[in-house]
Amino acid sequence: MTRLALLRRSFPTPGLIFRWIGKSRRRIWCQVMVLVAIVAGPPLWWATQLVRLPDVGDPFDVAAFRACTIPDGRNAFVLYRQAATLIKPNAGFLKTSTTRVDMLARWPKAVPELRQWADENREALAVYRQGTERPDAFEMTIGFDRESFKTFQALSLFRPMILLEASRLEDQGDMAGAWGWYRALLRNVHHVGMHGTVFRRSHIQRWHRQFRERMTTWASDPSTTPALLRRALDDVVSCEALAPSELDSLKAGYLDASWLLDSPTNPGHEVPMMRFRRFWNPDYQLNSEQIQAIWDWWRFWRREPERSRRVIRLVTANWLAYHELPPGNRPKPDPKVA
């Protein structure tokens, strides 16, 4: 017998395999089940991925929350937006300076250009301070809004000007005048966080820290009288009326996260793409469109963004239910969970 004939006998042909399967009904059914599993398994697995993750729907009345407004005469953001249009930029002297400019320097140590910049913006500062006296502050910002972003940037620029002006008055011995500006900054911090997301509230904590640092120096100065200290304490306590609502912050955060899931800047698109490029072989580099197509297919296979949307709804519903309970009836946090 030739070597070729031996090879043919060693490796069965498709015809031999089918004849061997056809001799037994059990073998036939086994093969049918395998084919059914191969064809129907992936769609069935895809369809059942979210079975144990219920869709509870929106955890609150989204339309009513979006429709919430306050009168312009009470809204500090009306004047904050006006002040933002009046502010003169400081980029000129920052770019031409050969050394790093300390934007939070006190008046005696501030560079002349910084003093001049603050002096040029006195009109904007006056409108800003009027806004801090208003009893409420509301600006519906879901997702990225260019005008709201500009206003927030302007409020960040007002902060060093206020600290500089307050330190100038302190240097002249006018401690009451200095407290007036510190009070304006404190009220602005509360205004920004009143109806904003938890992320915004955490961002402005840096502003509050700078306020506390300046207050330590201001309060320990011999020129600050006990009567002025009591007045400042009363002002700080009254600012607690501007404390943000936990429920409002959670609702705003929910809408912000929902917008992000459907936006082109969804972290589920961008973050994995950056990581994917980091480990990709440069000799076989795919272009951005090809990588995006691969990742979009994988997200579809994992039922995204529907999976994330359901998780966010469940988490928000639980948080809202927790904060709607009286403080004494709220369950204690699990000590095993950070």
Side-chain angles (χ1 to χ4, degrees), residues 7-288:
L7 288 173
R8 286 175 178 172
R9 293 182 60 183
S10 300
F11 296 96
T13 62
L16 290 175
I17 294 175
F18 284 121
R19 283 196 294 271
W20 177 77
I21 293 174
K23 291 180 181 179
S24 170
R25 184 174 296 179
R26 179 180 297 178
R27 295 172 189 168
I28 294 174
W29 279 110
C30 286
Q31 294 304 311
V32 170
M33 294 299 293
V34 169
L35 291 174
V36 170
I38 293 174
V39 175
L44 183 63
W45 184 85
W46 181 86
T48 58
Q49 280 191 89
L50 303 179
V51 169
R52 299 182 63 184
L53 192 60
D55 184 6
V56 297
D58 290 325
F60 59 93
D61 190 341
V62 172
F65 183 75
R66 286 181 178 273
C68 177
T69 58
I70 60 176
D72 286 351
R74 294 175 52 87
N75 191 355
F77 271 101
V78 173
L79 291 178
Y80 290 155
R81 286 191 290 268
Q82 293 180 18
T85 62
L86 297 173
I87 195 169
K88 295 178 175 60
N90 61 351
F93 72 85
L94 287 178
K95 290 181 179 180
T96 57
S97 177
T98 57
T99 59
R100 184 176 180 272
V101 177
D102 184 4
M103 298 295 293
L104 301 179
R106 300 181 71 88
W107 182 262
K109 297 183 178 180
V111 298
E113 293 85 357
L114 184 60
R115 296 182 183 183
Q116 181 182 353
W117 173 62
D119 189 63
E120 291 174 350
N121 282 285
R122 291 201 174 276
E123 182 184 359
L125 276 170
V127 177
Y128 165 92
R129 188 162 176 176
Q130 291 175 19
T132 64
E133 296 299 328
R134 293 199 167 178
D136 207 341
F138 180 79
E139 187 175 40
M140 180 63 72
T141 55
I142 303 304
F144 178 77
D145 181 79
R146 190 173 298 278
E147 293 303 319
S148 299
F149 180 71
K150 288 181 179 179
T151 302
F152 193 74
Q153 276 189 319
L155 293 178
S156 299
L157 290 176
F158 279 121
R159 188 176 74 260
M161 288 191 285
I162 291 169
L163 295 175
L164 183 64
E165 178 64 13
S167 67
R168 182 184 70 83
L169 294 172
E170 284 185 71
D171 193 55
Q172 296 176 355
D174 185 1
M175 308 308 287
W179 167 246
W181 284 107
Y182 288 136
R183 176 180 176 273
L185 176 60
L186 178 62
R187 290 183 64 85
N188 176 236
V189 169
H190 282 286
H191 279 162
V192 173
M194 279 186 74
H195 301 287
T197 62
V198 176
F199 173 78
R200 175 180 285 190
R201 287 168 52 187
S202 64
H203 181 75
I204 61 173
Q205 284 303 309
R206 180 163 53 91
W207 302 7
H208 199 277
R209 184 176 65 252
Q210 293 165 356
F211 164 81
R212 296 195 304 269
E213 292 171 353
R214 289 296 183 93
M215 281 299 92
T216 302
T217 305
W218 177 85
S220 60
D221 193 293
S223 301
T224 305
T225 63
L228 186 54
L229 281 173
R230 285 192 292 270
R231 171 187 159 191
L233 181 60
D234 290 340
D235 288 339
V236 171
V237 172
S238 67
C239 279
E240 292 302 317
L242 305 176
S245 164
E246 298 289 348
L247 293 175
D248 281 356
S249 294
L250 289 172
K251 291 176 181 179
Y254 168 78
L255 294 181
D256 210 45
S258 300
W259 171 86
L260 194 60
L261 283 178
D262 298 320
S263 73
T265 56
N266 182 349
H269 285 285
E270 292 191 334
V271 175
M273 287 281 288
M274 291 186 290
R275 293 176 179 173
F276 197 58
R277 288 191 180 95
R278 186 187 308 169
F279 298 105
W280 195 253
N281 189 333
D283 296 331
Y284 304 97
Q285 181 69 56
L286 300 177
N287 59 43
S288 298

